[in-house]
Amino acid sequence: MTLGDWLRESKAKVDTYGVRRGTRSAAFDFWGGAARRFCHGLGLDDGGTPIYDRDWDVLVLLDTCRIDALESVSDEYEFLPETVPSFTSLGSTSWEWMHDNFTDEYREEMARTAYVTANPHTRRFGDEFPMPPEAFGLLDEVWTYEWDEEVRNNPPRPVTDRAITVARERDFDRLIVHYMQPHAPYPSLAEFAPEAARLLDDDEDAAVWDLLQTGQLSRADAWAAYLETLRWVLGEVDLLLDNLDADRLVVSSDHGEAFGEWGLYGHYRHVPIPVLKNVPWVELSATDTGEYDPTVESESVEVTDDDVEQRLSALGYK
């Protein structure tokens, strides 16, 4: 974000939320941008381990999933340990994670990888990212044909369906399954904070982080909605475990999420604070019982640059 962008967004926030709240939110945005520039300028964001330097057959990514979030719901899922192992990601955003993991150094590994994803940042391959989309053995961009305008996100079930189909019908050494949950927006927010949910419905440009910054949404309510979104996708992970074969299936994330730590809300590129860079690394195994029959098929859908930007905006990327 440039200074000009920040000034324009700051004015819009003052117009929307009033002088006190709008200025408060703009100040948090300024701090986040300053932290990004400072950390990147000093090379503080260089830590982390490439995913291809770890052993896995299937890598399941729960976008923005925090370690403490998994631990808080671990007693609800037999496959989750009480204490969740950690891993240091290369990125603190999806953009950074993709840019730094998928490089020419791992070209051969990418050619043997199927990537089934709900994350619109994959459209950056061949443009902002060093590798083209053709570098993957298969790139199935589920977000292009199963985007849900009502939830302003890609529901997890189509991703599950495509992952199971690819695992059963195609022969790849590795499979990446990238869900967008528990990333905001949170479909259940109205259960915990009806007024905040109404504000978001009335203003499509608003994000849950704006309401946290202005005090119109409490951290407790946002966290509760975040955990509900996590539970939504963990049900899909449970389905995956019984419907594909993998000696080593890892449940992890590309990056975490900040709920006010260090004065930050959401996630910022190049900001290596622990809640953004330290992600889960839960090693499991999976066996295909054949009990579930996927119904979603891959489609070739033309999406414009405007479509991509609109969907990224719906996810909170300004």
Side-chain angles (χ1 to χ4, degrees):
M1 178 188 295
T2 66
L3 180 60
D5 292 334
W6 177 78
L7 288 172
R8 282 189 292 273
E9 289 193 12
S10 297
K11 181 181 184 304
K13 287 190 173 187
V14 169
D15 291 342
T16 301
Y17 303 119
V19 174
R20 182 175 63 85
R21 286 174 170 167
T23 302
R24 175 182 169 86
S25 181
F28 278 114
D29 291 343
F30 184 86
W31 162 239
R36 169 184 169 180
R37 289 178 179 273
F38 176 80
C39 293
H40 188 47
L42 293 181
L44 301 178
D45 56 333
D46 292 338
T49 303
I51 57 170
Y52 284 118
D53 285 356
R54 300 294 294 263
D55 292 329
W56 49 272
D57 303 311
V58 178
L59 180 61
V60 178
L61 297 171
L62 312 182
D63 208 296
T64 75
C65 184
R66 292 170 49 137
I67 295 169
D68 55 354
L70 267 193
E71 290 181 337
S72 70
V73 300
S74 62
D75 60 345
E76 302 173 29
Y77 301 90
E78 292 184 0
F79 59 86
L80 288 179
E82 182 178 351
T83 300
V84 173
S86 66
F87 170 75
T88 303
S89 173
L90 283 182
S92 52
T93 65
S94 298
W95 187 101
E96 192 178 4
W97 183 86
M98 292 182 194
H99 181 278
D100 292 355
N101 273 296
F102 301 120
T103 63
D104 189 63
E105 180 180 357
Y106 300 103
R107 180 182 291 271
E108 292 184 6
E109 287 87 346
M110 290 177 64
R112 298 193 296 269
T113 299
Y115 187 7
V116 177
T117 179
N119 192 308
H121 279 295
T122 55
R123 195 42 59 100
R124 308 304 191 197
F125 286 115
D127 181 14
E128 299 174 34
F129 297 163
M131 302 297 287
E134 295 80 14
F136 291 98
L138 172 70
L139 178 60
D140 190 338
E141 296 177 294
V142 184
W143 64 270
T144 63
Y145 55 87
E146 286 293 333
W147 182 266
D148 190 319
E149 291 292 347
E150 184 174 347
V151 300
R152 303 184 71 197
N153 201 341
N154 204 110
R157 179 53 59 89
V159 179
T160 304
D161 275 18
R162 292 302 307 146
I164 292 172
T165 297
V166 169
R168 288 175 178 172
E169 298 181 356
R170 305 289 294 272
D171 185 20
F172 292 101
D173 289 350
R174 293 183 171 189
L175 169 64
I176 300 174
V177 186
H178 195 156
Y179 293 101
M180 277 311 297
Q181 290 71 30
H183 195 292
Y186 309 135
S188 63
L189 183 63
E191 299 176 23
F192 306 99
E195 179 60 22
R198 185 190 65 76
L199 290 172
L200 293 178
D201 287 341
D202 289 346
D203 184 0
E204 290 190 354
D205 292 329
V208 65
W209 313 116
D210 297 335
L211 301 187
L212 279 166
Q213 291 169 347
T214 59
Q216 294 170 282
L217 174 63
S218 71
R219 185 189 189 282
D221 287 339
W223 182 257
Y226 169 76
L227 291 184
E228 279 300 297
T229 310
L230 176 58
R231 292 183 177 98
W232 187 19
V233 72
L234 286 174
E236 299 300 307
V237 176
D238 200 11
L239 187 61
L240 274 184
L241 291 172
D242 289 331
N243 288 281
L244 54 77
D245 291 318
D247 292 333
R248 182 165 295 177
L249 180 148
V250 172
V251 177
S252 186
S253 184
D254 48 351
H255 58 83
E257 194 81 289
F259 283 81
E261 294 86 355
W262 294 74
L264 299 172
Y265 293 89
H267 44 280
Y268 295 80
R269 196 187 306 175
H270 307 307
V271 179
I273 63 173
V275 294
L276 297 184
K277 291 276 283 186
N278 295 341
V279 297
W281 191 267
V282 180
E283 296 185 0
L284 306 167
S285 61
T287 301
D288 189 0
T289 64
E291 65 182 22
Y292 177 73
D293 292 322
T295 59
V296 175
E297 297 183 1
S298 178
E299 298 180 36
S300 178
V301 176
E302 185 70 26
V303 291
T304 66
D305 289 343
D306 285 343
D307 292 331
V308 175
E309 294 307 316
Q310 287 172 5
R311 293 178 188 187
L312 288 172
S313 178
L315 294 168
Y317 297 101
K318 303 298 181 62

